[in-house]
Amino acid sequence: LALGILSDEHGRRPLLQLKVMLAMVCNLLLLAFTHAGSSLWPYLIVSSVDHSLDAAGVMLAVLADLTQDLKQERSLLLGMLALMSAGL
């Protein structure tokens, strides 16, 4: 949730773009290292950094911004976001 606080200062879009770029680099490293048959340590390091930067706080902040006028629907939308992030 630390990214949610940073997104208040620096904007939501740059932090979401950073998260997507890290995920892409992580997946490309996995592809490259498994194809080459070399060590997976660089992938594990980048993957740890990627997973430590959770974008859930940013998504909660975006949802709060979008539902500022819809106070009654906010709890429904937060529940739907929780279900999507849990993979249900």
Side-chain angles (χ1 to χ4, degrees):
L1 295 175
L3 286 183
I5 296 168
L6 285 174
S7 71
D8 290 337
E9 298 174 9
H10 302 288
R12 315 244 188 267
R13 182 174 290 183
L15 290 175
L16 288 174
Q17 288 174 340
L18 172 70
K19 176 66 177 157
V20 168
M21 291 299 290
L22 272 174
M24 284 180 16
V25 166
C26 185
N27 289 331
L28 288 174
L29 277 175
L30 178 63
L31 176 70
F33 287 117
T34 54
H35 183 68
S38 60
S39 174
L40 289 177
W41 283 109
Y43 164 74
L44 293 174
I45 293 169
V46 173
S47 176
S48 298
V49 172
D50 179 41
H51 291 125
S52 68
L53 296 175
D54 188 21
V58 180
M59 293 306 296
L60 287 173
V62 168
L63 191 61
D65 289 345
L66 292 176
T67 61
Q68 210 158 27
D69 297 333
L70 308 169
K71 298 285 185 190
Q72 296 191 359
E73 285 84 11
R74 184 179 287 181
S75 60
L76 173 69
L77 292 173
L78 285 173
M80 289 173 62
L81 180 65
L83 284 174
M84 286 189 301
S85 62
L88 298 177

